[in-house]
Structure formats: C-alpha cells, structure tokens
Amino acid sequence: MALTELNFEFTPKEPKELNDEWGHVGIVSSGDLEILIEKGNAYKGKASFHILTTVVGFDNVWETVLGRLVDKTGLSGVKVSINDNAATPAVVKRRLQQAIENGGGLQ
Amino acid sequence: MRMDWEELQEKSFYRSSARERAYGIVDPGTFREFLGPRDKMYSPHLVILGEAVEFDDGIVVGVGKIDKHPVFVISQEGNFVGGALGEINGAKMAYMYKIALKCYEAMKEKYGTVPEDRKPLVVVSYDSGGVRLHESNAGLVAHSECMEALWKLQNKVPNISITGSSLGAYGAQGFVCMSGDVVLANDYGRIGLTGPDVIQQEVGKDEFDASDRALIWRTMGARSKYILGDVDYLLKDTIKEFREKVKELADMSMSDISKHRHLGSPELVEDNLELVKIAAELKIDDSKDLWEYYGNENLDELPEMPQEEFLKVAKRRPRRGM
C-alpha cells in the first residue's frame, strides 16, 4: 500500500508573509513529521499544503488542524510540504509553529 | 532556514540532529548543503512500500570550511529508518567521498602539490544501523561504492569518523566507520558489526544477552573501544569539542594522520590478528578481561566514572607507530 497523499489550500483572513525564503523542521521518525515551508509567488494570499503520510483516514483531522493554524497565524504566500510518520495533531501543530519560526517568522 | 552556529557549539553532539551536526562541525556560516530538503530527492522505494519518506532521505551532505581546509561533511540521521543506507542517501554518501577526491586531484593538478594548510578532508558523523532492508541491494551497492571511494582516498584525503549519536555505527556502517583514518567518539559512541539483538537471536542468550545494557556498552561502547585502540580520541559531548579536534587533526600532516589507521595494511592486519590470538589464548569472555590484560584496574568502575577521570586512569592497547 502506497503512501497517502493529501492536498489542501487555505486562504487566511489576514494574510501574512514568511520573512525568509524557506523554513524546515523535524525528522520523520515514528510519531513525528518533517515540515518544509517555501515561499512562492504562485501562492499569493494562500497557503498550499502537500502531505505524504503513512496513516489512512484522517483527512478531516488534517484539514481542521492545518486550517485553524493558518487562520490564526495568517500564514500565506507559501507552499508547505509535509512528510508524516503517524504524528498526533498536537505534534503537527507544534512542528508547524516551529517551521514558521525557522523560516524567520511572519511579517 | 535558520541555524544558530553559536548555539550549536555548546549543544550535546548526542542530542543534535544530522543537520545540526553538519552545520556545527565546520566554521560559522560556511556549510553548504548538497541535495537538501528543498531538492526533495527522497526514496522512491519507500513510497511504494507505504513507508514514510524524508526529503533528504536521512542524510545531510555538503561542504564547509575549517580555516583554509575544504571540509566535506557527511552526517547521518539515525531517527529516520535507523539511519540506514538506501539508494539515494547511499549515493549521496558515496559521492561526497568522490567529490573530496576530485577536489584533491584538481588542487594537485593546478598547484603541483596540495598545501598542508589547504588539504581537503572528509568528516563523517555516523548514526546508522547499516543497510536499509527495504532497498537492500541498492544499499549494499552504495556501501561497496563507499568502500571503493575510501580506498582511493587513503593517504590523500584525511577521513575522520565520528560516532556519538544514538545508534552508533553498526552493520555495513561499522565497516565504513572503522575504515576512516581517525575515529572520534563521545561516551555515547558505539561501533559494531552485528547488533546485540541479532547476536542473541542467532547464537543464543548465553553468547550475548541483549537485555544486559551494561554488557552491550562494555562490549561495543566507546570506552572499551578507546582502551582497545579502535577509538582514537574520546571527547566531551559537545559539537564544539568535536569541531576543535577535527581542526587539530586538519593541521596534522597526512602521514601523521595515516598513523591512526586501524585497517588497510598487512601490518595492521597482523596487529588485529594478534588481538584475536590474545582473546583466544586467554579465553576472554568479557571485555573486562581484556581491559585487565592491558593493565587496567577498577574494572567495574571504568564504564561509570566521569570521562575526565577515565581518560586519566585508562591504560590502552599499545599501537604500532603511535
């Protein structure tokens, strides 16, 4: 069984741009994930997520966790690539915050 | 991507990720990663098998500088698939050796000789269980490519092995680690061919009890390896300590560095066989017996005492030319 691929796009109400070109955090060990945030002109005003995960059937949870964080922080103008190895929602949220921090924070 | 070099220096080597080790082991701001996360070159085999992938495939490679030396860094990430060698990360590793040799040859062609203060070197931070079984043949090919490249580097480009991360250097990577010119370790370093569980499974609990952690450490751990001469320098557990030792070694002449070697000449094979002979004749069944043979006392305290004290009291196997 191949990896599950998920794609989401969110448009925050108050969009904020990332300070640096890119940010990266995390190691894909069991129960953890890796997040790569890259700025791109094609994503103006929105945050595009591309997820590769080993877990099946949690599409709604992903959408809720990521959607809320994007809305709260205003993360936009970026493509976010995630490699996941069964991380819990709390870990996902924390890593995404760290990834934004690693990319210099939001303007 | 931000990486605070100053902060890394005081950080525990053991607790650092592969990328942190790679950035911290060279001079500030000099590390350039090849095929980093943004290149997204991950294992196609793992995707098919439904296993999690990582953008750097579990290895960080690149080039940095220490003074005027170009330093080719290979840093393995043990938390991803046990740091094991697959097709992509294995190729990344093997090609770093090849690039280092190319750099050496290009310098030689341009300047006639490679000046001592500018000679390139390879630093490898091991954190691996061996070959990735999901892509076994590809991993083994990468391993043999590494060994071939290492052979060509001999007496040209210093190759420094570091073991000090959670997994140590096991399986195929145990080979490669010991083939380095100099082996550095902190107290968490481990080198072995077959891991404890596999030995127990294959030969039985009487041979090796994999649940006995003290036994594992005194057989495969850095302190025992230091006494027996497999580890050349035992260091404190900060990235700074390792960087400073690498810097010190970088300024040594190639012939002095080669004296540290553990493998690769008929004399060294003889030395290693001598050790096997001693072990057989004295019917050694625990590393402690060997430590005693080389003149150590307080055998039960050696693995426990603070490192500074250990370095003062430990008596080591005498080595030829050292």
Side-chain angles (χ1 to χ4, degrees):
Chain A
M1 192 179 59
L3 285 172
T4 310
E5 194 182 324
L6 300 171
N7 290 293
F8 300 110
E9 214 169 77
F10 304 101
T11 350
K13 286 187 199 89
E14 294 169 38
K16 285 180 192 160
E17 298 247 314
L18 198 70
N19 277 316
D20 297 357
E21 252 332 281
W22 63 294
H24 177 262
V25 80
I27 290 149
V28 194
S29 52
S30 181
D32 213 330
L33 75 166
E34 166 188 43
I35 300 184
L36 172 68
I37 300 187
E38 293 167 289
K39 249 180 169 171
N41 287 332
Y43 309 102
K44 207 134 191 89
K46 60 190 179 185
S48 169
F49 286 81
H50 176 79
I51 303 154
L52 276 178
T53 174
T54 52
V55 186
V56 187
F58 284 84
D59 307 20
N60 293 339
V61 181
W62 278 105
E63 195 169 3
T64 313
V65 171
L66 299 176
R68 274 188 197 161
L69 201 114
V70 169
D71 235 11
K72 212 173 160 190
T73 56
L75 176 68
S76 68
V78 291
K79 182 187 177 191
V80 183
S81 313
I82 297 178
N83 286 323
D84 169 59
N85 192 359
T88 60
V91 176
V92 174
K93 191 182 163 192
R94 182 73 193 114
R95 288 277 178 259
L96 192 55
Q97 288 166 337
Q98 285 175 331
I100 293 170
E101 233 170 79
N102 188 262
L106 296 168
Q107 279 164 5
Chain B
M1 211 239 349
R2 299 191 174 184
M3 195 68 91
D4 188 342
W5 187 87
E6 291 292 338
E7 216 170 84
L8 287 179
Q9 294 306 300
E10 293 308 320
K11 199 170 173 183
S12 155
F13 192 90
Y14 176 69
R15 297 203 176 280
S16 299
S17 70
R19 190 158 286 108
E20 288 171 331
R21 281 178 259 136
Y23 274 82
I25 203 78
V26 291
D27 286 347
T30 60
F31 186 74
R32 295 287 174 275
E33 185 171 351
F34 300 155
L35 293 178
R38 292 191 81 182
D39 293 303
K40 301 193 178 103
M41 196 182 258
Y42 52 81
S43 165
H45 309 287
L46 292 180
V47 176
I48 296 166
L49 293 166
E51 293 279 336
V53 293
E54 191 165 275
F55 288 135
D56 56 20
D57 206 28
I59 200 165
V60 177
V61 299
V63 64
K65 276 170 78 181
I66 290 182
D67 295 335
K68 288 175 181 170
H69 302 278
V71 182
F72 295 88
V73 184
I74 301 167
S75 182
Q76 299 175 332
E77 180 53 69
N79 285 321
F80 178 68
V81 206
L85 227 59
E87 187 173 6
I88 307 284
N89 66 351
K92 278 167 88 172
M93 184 174 186
Y95 271 83
M96 284 313 285
Y97 290 121
K98 292 180 187 176
I99 292 170
L101 187 64
K102 252 190 177 165
C103 173
Y104 172 88
E105 279 164 355
M107 284 169 93
K108 200 163 180 187
E109 204 181 292
K110 196 163 177 191
Y111 304 111
T113 57
V114 178
E116 283 293 347
D117 64 332
R118 284 166 192 269
K119 65 172 172 299
L121 55 145
V122 178
V123 177
V124 192
S125 168
Y126 290 91
D127 191 10
S128 175
V131 167
R132 192 181 289 174
L133 295 180
H134 314 74
E135 27 192 304
S136 54
N137 288 354
L140 286 168
V141 168
H143 169 232
S144 50
E145 261 187 73
C146 287
M147 293 305 284
E148 190 201 351
L150 273 173
W151 190 252
K152 288 181 181 157
L153 287 182
Q154 226 189 124
N155 297 325
K156 290 179 180 161
V157 179
N159 173 14
I160 298 163
S161 300
I162 301 176
T163 164
S165 303
S166 59
L167 293 182
Y170 275 90
Q173 293 307 288
F175 275 76
V176 186
C177 178
M178 286 311 298
S179 307
D181 289 320
V182 188
V183 181
L184 313 181
N186 58 18
D187 278 332
Y188 304 105
R190 285 191 289 173
I191 304 167
L193 180 57
T194 312
D197 286 297
V198 183
I199 302 177
Q200 181 182 318
Q201 191 182 316
E202 292 298 314
V203 204
K205 205 165 182 170
D206 292 340
E207 176 68 23
F208 203 86
D209 181 357
S211 63
D212 186 346
R213 294 192 60 83
L215 172 70
I216 295 173
W217 282 100
R218 69 173 181 267
T219 310
M220 299 159 169
R223 289 199 179 180
S224 180
K225 299 284 177 194
Y226 178 78
I227 291 172
L228 300 180
D230 292 335
V231 163
D232 296 294
Y233 300 96
L234 192 62
L235 306 172
K236 269 195 235 130
D237 182 34
T238 62
I239 292 184
K240 186 178 170 199
E241 284 281 316
F242 281 93
R243 186 179 54 79
E244 281 174 354
K245 185 50 89 178
V246 170
K247 189 179 156 113
E248 194 186 310
L249 290 164
D251 291 333
M252 274 188 192
S253 69
M254 188 65 229
S255 60
D256 279 345
I257 294 171
S258 293
K259 279 182 195 158
H260 292 83
R261 281 191 73 85
H262 307 267
L263 307 163
S265 72
E267 293 79 25
L268 287 167
V269 172
E270 231 167 75
D271 286 0
N272 289 330
L273 284 175
E274 186 66 25
L275 191 60
V276 176
K277 199 173 144 203
I278 290 167
E281 274 171 8
L282 299 177
K283 298 205 166 45
I284 303 280
D285 62 6
D286 196 304
S287 308
K288 279 196 242 174
D289 300 341
L290 270 178
W291 302 351
E292 194 176 17
Y293 177 81
Y294 290 113
N296 287 288
E297 292 159 6
N298 298 333
L299 302 176
D300 288 324
E301 284 158 40
L302 279 177
E304 308 292 337
M305 59 177 63
Q307 197 189 70
E308 270 169 37
E309 206 178 313
F310 171 81
L311 289 174
K312 262 183 227 154
V313 300
K315 296 196 175 64
R316 309 178 66 188
R317 175 169 76 102
R319 290 193 53 203
R320 196 192 297 258
M322 291 292 290

